[in-house]
Amino acid sequence: KAGVTQTPRYLIKTRGQQVTLSCSPISGHRSVSWYQQTPGQGLQFLFEYFSETQRNKGNFPGRFSGRQFSNSRSEMNVSTLELGDSALYLCASGQGSWTGAKGATNEKLFFGSGTQLSVL
Amino acid sequence: DAKTTQPPSMDCAEGRAANLPCNHSTISGNEYVYWYRQIHSQGPQYIIHGLKNNETNEMASLIITEDRKSSTLILPHATLRDTAVYYCIVRVESGGSNYKLTFGKGTLLTVNP
């Protein structure tokens, strides 16, 4: 079974530009979540998508957005790039079953290798 | 959010057991303890998770104290490839979502030859 695929692996942009990152989850997985990793802040949750709907969102400005397609592939977009957006962006795939407010579904996430974004 | 506390770094000799501690004194009754690790330049990798009972899989064992305020991840025979940052996470449930993991700084485990 193929793992989580993120493209591109490396990206260099300049301030003010926008960027789109892509993530293909494991076949059959319906949930995709995105994380940003920087040396200073560590791993931080950006947002999560399930069946083309954003299910949860972290504390990031509106310049960070995402979407999910009917085949579960996901993209995230960062507009008006700032130097501080330089980071490793990680995508995680999960089967997507959840029980709502009650209980827990014990699901584990499968992460891709990430896209290393450098903003100059 | 239940927070976790881990030592910033640990060393272990190759072939010996590595015991990584984690404190999560504010954990709620229905929150699970998850362990992930991240090898340099790769995405985090799931290791194991548990609620109350001790758990074991092909990678590791997880020992959770009876009061659930702390846990220990055990790698029974550490190898050089186990050198990584290990994250202990208490899963936050937010509006039914199970995927908002709150990562701390983790423990850098260095396995020495």
Side-chain angles (χ1 to χ4, degrees):
Chain A
K1 205 179 210 183
V4 179
T5 304
Q6 290 190 247
T7 56
R9 184 71 178 92
Y10 300 96
L11 202 50
I12 299 175
K13 292 286 188 179
T14 56
R15 277 183 301 174
Q17 287 187 309
Q18 73 164 12
V19 67
T20 300
L21 312 181
S22 179
C23 171
S24 293
I26 291 172
S27 177
H29 283 191
R30 296 190 296 166
S31 174
V32 172
S33 50
W34 289 88
Y35 289 79
Q36 180 197 66
Q37 185 171 29
T38 60
Q41 298 298 319
L43 275 154
Q44 293 186 287
F45 173 81
L46 278 158
F47 28 63
E48 180 206 344
Y49 287 87
F50 176 78
S51 291
E52 303 177 64
T53 301
Q54 187 179 87
R55 200 158 68 166
N56 205 348
K57 190 177 190 308
N59 294 326
F60 279 83
R63 300 185 296 107
F64 292 81
S65 63
R67 60 177 175 169
Q68 186 180 33
F69 302 96
S70 58
N71 61 358
S72 294
R73 190 178 70 85
S74 177
E75 289 181 347
M76 68 162 281
N77 184 276
V78 187
S79 62
T80 319
L81 284 166
E82 301 176 359
L83 296 179
D85 297 333
S86 295
L88 179 66
Y89 289 88
L90 291 157
C91 162
S93 157
Q95 289 182 320
S97 59
W98 54 290
T99 61
K102 286 188 180 179
T105 61
N106 312 334
E107 285 218 51
K108 54 190 177 185
L109 297 185
F110 296 85
F111 284 81
S113 295
T115 294
Q116 182 67 54
L117 171 65
S118 297
V119 182
L120 306 178
Chain B
D1 298 357
K3 302 215 182 291
T4 62
T5 304
Q6 299 177 254
S9 63
M10 293 182 65
D11 285 329
C12 177
E14 189 177 18
R16 304 296 294 268
N19 298 287
L20 292 91
C22 178
N23 286 320
H24 32 79
S25 58
T26 60
I27 192 170
S28 299
N30 64 346
E31 288 181 312
Y32 284 71
V33 179
Y34 280 73
W35 284 83
Y36 282 78
R37 73 180 183 184
Q38 187 173 23
I39 296 169
H40 183 62
S41 299
Q42 298 181 20
Q45 176 191 25
Y46 166 84
I47 301 173
I48 199 168
H49 73 275
L51 182 64
K52 297 182 196 176
N53 302 318
N54 299 337
E55 302 288 345
T56 296
N57 63 20
E58 65 279 3
M59 288 183 70
S61 294
L62 174 60
I63 309 297
I64 302 175
T65 58
E66 194 169 341
D67 63 9
R68 303 214 318 128
K69 293 186 177 181
S70 65
S71 60
T72 300
L73 177 74
I74 301 172
L75 307 179
H77 305 288
T79 71
L80 298 179
R81 289 177 296 179
D82 292 322
T83 293
V85 177
Y86 287 76
Y87 296 99
C88 168
I89 300 163
V90 173
R91 191 183 65 198
V92 175
E93 291 200 52
S94 174
S97 167
N98 291 307
Y99 299 120
K100 183 180 178 181
L101 299 180
T102 300
F103 288 84
K105 296 190 183 301
T107 296
L108 172 59
L109 174 68
T110 302
V111 181
N112 301 305

